[in-house]
Amino acid sequence: MELFNLKHPQQKVNFQQALTQGLGKDRGLFFPTKVPTLSDIEELLTLPFVERSQQILGAWLAEEIGQTRVDSIVENAFNFELPLQAVTEQTFCLELFHGPTLAFKDFGARFMAQCLSQLNPNRKITILTATSGDTGAAVADAFYGLDNVQVVILYPKGRISELQEKMFCTLGGNIATVAIDGDFDQCQALVKLAFEDQELKQALSLNSANSINISRLLAQICYYFEGVALLNQGLEREIVISVPSGNFGNITAGLLGKAMGLPVERFVAATNINDTVPRYWNNGHWQVNATQATASNAMDVSDPSNWPRAQYLMEHYLSRQCLQAISVDEAATLNRLKTMHQQGYVSEPHAAVAAQALEQGLAPHQLGIFLGTAHPSKFKQSVEQSLAIELALPKELAAVVNKPLLSHNLAADYQELRHYLFDSLLSD
Ligand SMILES: *Cc1c(COP(=O)(O)O)cnc(C)c1O
């Protein structure tokens, strides 16, 4: 698989280089030189999830790493359910939150961890990543206990839910967590600075597990095909898929799927009031405002790092009407959450943003899927309060609620972070 740097197209790498480097020169994102197309899609849709995913990912990777290796990575990474739940006669939630940390990020994180451990078994590396909530848990779980990998996770102090924090800040071992006095964009900026710091990068063999890593995006293509396959009646009707979007990795994966041949009429990029992309898509101006805190906190991102990839795909592979971008405010999110509850479906704020945006443009002859990106009990407090119900804590969360937090606290300052990394990681 060949990829090029979107900022410096003459920089070309293969998959394994993109996997370990994360970003290219000048923080450029790697993008595939060629998107493979799948031949018999109808046949492919009849296969079970794991087998189908092995074929989809084989189309990208088999030439470079061999189909046997692809098969084993996929089998180890994708070992949980992803049911499609009907919410109304016309709309369905693809529940991507049945993995070990109860969010869709398990797909990408587990796939990436398997790639790194199966393709790089003898090198010691440091994963440095920023999280707005769920990436942290997914990455921590996927890498916990893997030999030769040290993980450092930055997150915005006080801006993720208590339960989210418990899930990844209580592990210890090879997982270090750092609470930053700042917002997610500042955490992400610190990670980017670290990757530009050649001395640090070399000393620690830095690698990022953020959604900028191409391995995560490739993994996420697979569940879009599953959504369409599960909607088996759907092939006679147009399908619209709505994606709750923050950093825009998830929707980029969906668009990659469409470029490969996934039969979907249109995607909806649904954001909360952090609406840089909807404003840009609808009026042509890219303007980043200050990030605002919302109930869908994993989407509180105002400078989404994956957007250049989505834009490149739109310009080179897809037509403009394949993508709609809609921002949903807090009141409409809450209303949608309540409406779904009345319809018999308990959801959470991220999926509710997507469900609401989906509702706005769905024609009677179309079927809509919105992605359920997190388990409702991950946002227990806000869901219970909004719906006046009580949620049972699933076993994954019950196991961590009473464990002490092990995080360090740092200012949003690169020199502080740099000292911390050198001191704590090179001391042993
Ligand atoms: C990360 C996350 C999102 C946003 O996904 P992106 O790929 O960053 O657009 C949405 N919902 C939840 C629950 C998340 O954790």
Side-chain angles (χ1 to χ4, degrees):
M1 176 180 184
E2 187 184 80
L3 302 102
F4 69 98
N5 179 337
L6 281 176
K7 281 197 182 155
H8 293 280
Q10 69 282 13
Q11 185 189 8
K12 299 223 162 64
V13 293
N14 64 19
F15 172 70
Q16 290 169 90
Q17 290 165 323
L19 171 73
T20 50
Q21 290 170 25
L23 283 168
K25 204 174 140 204
D26 285 338
R27 305 171 180 178
L29 296 164
F30 290 123
F31 194 87
T33 308
K34 184 169 106 241
V35 174
T37 47
L38 296 162
S39 47
D40 197 345
I41 303 260
E42 262 181 60
E43 164 83 24
L44 193 67
L45 289 173
T46 63
L47 297 177
F49 178 62
V50 168
E51 213 177 301
R52 183 191 322 110
S53 301
Q54 289 166 335
Q55 292 203 14
I56 293 168
L57 291 162
W60 293 96
L61 299 175
E63 214 178 280
E64 182 178 330
I65 66 172
Q67 186 65 44
T68 316
R69 185 59 79 188
V70 174
D71 289 351
S72 133
I73 290 171
V74 171
E75 207 173 299
N76 287 325
F78 297 168
N79 59 352
F80 49 90
E81 305 277 284
L82 58 164
L84 186 73
Q85 300 286 353
V87 178
T88 67
E89 277 179 7
Q90 210 188 347
T91 55
F92 303 79
C93 180
L94 182 62
E95 295 187 346
L96 302 174
F97 49 73
H98 297 283
T101 72
L102 307 175
F104 81 100
K105 297 208 167 72
D106 284 325
F107 285 94
R110 290 179 65 79
F111 183 75
M112 181 178 172
Q114 286 299 322
C115 285
L116 280 170
S117 75
Q118 295 205 29
L119 301 173
N120 252 327
N122 301 317
R123 243 179 89 223
K124 185 168 171 64
I125 55 169
T126 304
I127 302 281
L128 175 66
T129 190
T131 182
S132 57
D134 291 331
T135 304
V139 167
D141 184 88
F143 286 92
Y144 185 56
L146 282 187
D147 286 342
N148 282 332
V149 186
Q150 170 67 45
V151 177
V152 180
I153 302 171
L154 311 186
Y155 64 99
K157 188 180 182 192
R159 299 193 192 211
I160 66 174
S161 85
E162 246 171 84
L163 282 171
Q164 280 181 319
E165 192 175 21
K166 287 280 186 179
M167 282 196 93
F168 68 97
C169 302
T170 56
L171 291 167
N174 62 331
I175 312 294
T177 52
V178 182
I180 298 287
D181 290 319
D183 61 26
F184 174 65
D185 290 297
Q186 287 173 294
C187 296
Q188 195 154 254
L190 287 172
V191 169
K192 284 180 180 168
L193 285 172
F195 276 89
E196 282 180 357
D197 183 336
Q198 291 308 321
E199 192 192 344
L200 182 86
K201 201 173 158 185
Q202 294 291 321
L204 304 179
S205 284
L206 275 195
N207 188 308
S208 163
N210 273 5
S211 53
I212 49 173
N213 197 288
I214 194 71
S215 63
R216 293 184 35 169
L217 292 191
L218 296 182
Q220 289 173 225
I221 295 170
C222 300
Y223 52 67
Y224 286 94
F225 281 86
E226 179 72 356
V228 171
L230 290 172
L231 203 63
N232 48 18
Q233 48 174 326
L235 292 180
E236 288 109 57
R237 288 172 75 177
E238 288 177 7
I239 299 175
V240 178
I241 301 185
S242 180
V243 184
S245 296
N247 241 336
F248 282 71
N250 204 359
I251 195 156
T252 300
L255 296 171
L256 278 169
K258 176 143 174 77
M260 293 179 86
L262 177 72
V264 165
E265 178 66 14
R266 151 168 76 79
F267 283 86
V268 182
T271 71
N272 58 31
I273 51 176
N274 295 291
D275 60 351
T276 308
V277 168
R279 279 186 288 108
Y280 171 73
W281 196 240
N282 297 314
N283 72 18
H285 266 346
W286 183 264
Q287 200 208 315
V288 176
N289 299 335
T291 307
Q292 303 180 70
T294 72
S296 50
N297 62 45
M299 290 151 59
D300 291 350
V301 181
S302 53
D303 194 1
S305 55
N306 265 302
W307 175 253
R309 283 176 169 147
Q311 178 150 357
Y312 186 88
L313 267 168
M314 293 312 298
E315 283 167 3
H316 293 83
Y317 291 91
L318 303 169
S319 64
R320 191 180 159 85
Q321 61 271 23
C322 296
L323 180 68
Q324 223 186 345
I326 295 179
S327 149
V328 176
D329 68 22
E330 291 293 276
T333 304
L334 179 62
N335 269 336
R336 177 55 52 189
L337 200 58
K338 287 182 174 163
T339 305
M340 286 196 281
H341 183 223
Q342 283 155 12
Q343 290 162 337
Y345 188 69
V346 175
S347 189
E348 54 73 44
H350 303 77
V353 166
Q356 176 64 19
L358 177 64
E359 209 69 34
Q360 290 182 22
L362 203 61
H365 67 282
Q366 297 173 325
L367 291 175
I369 297 176
F370 61 95
L371 302 189
T373 45
H375 195 290
S377 59
K378 259 191 129 163
F379 298 91
K380 194 171 185 301
Q381 264 179 341
S382 108
V383 172
E384 288 185 336
Q385 222 172 40
S386 308
L387 301 179
I389 57 171
E390 271 189 45
L391 290 177
L393 218 50
K395 60 179 191 320
E396 292 82 352
L397 287 175
V400 295
V401 276
N402 294 318
K403 290 194 184 164
L405 295 175
L406 302 171
S407 300
H408 289 263
N409 192 196
L410 292 178
D413 176 83
Y414 182 62
Q415 288 309 319
E416 268 198 39
L417 175 67
R418 190 173 198 271
H419 279 134
Y420 165 78
L421 291 174
F422 271 119
D423 288 354
S424 65
L425 301 187
L426 291 182
S427 57
D428 47 41

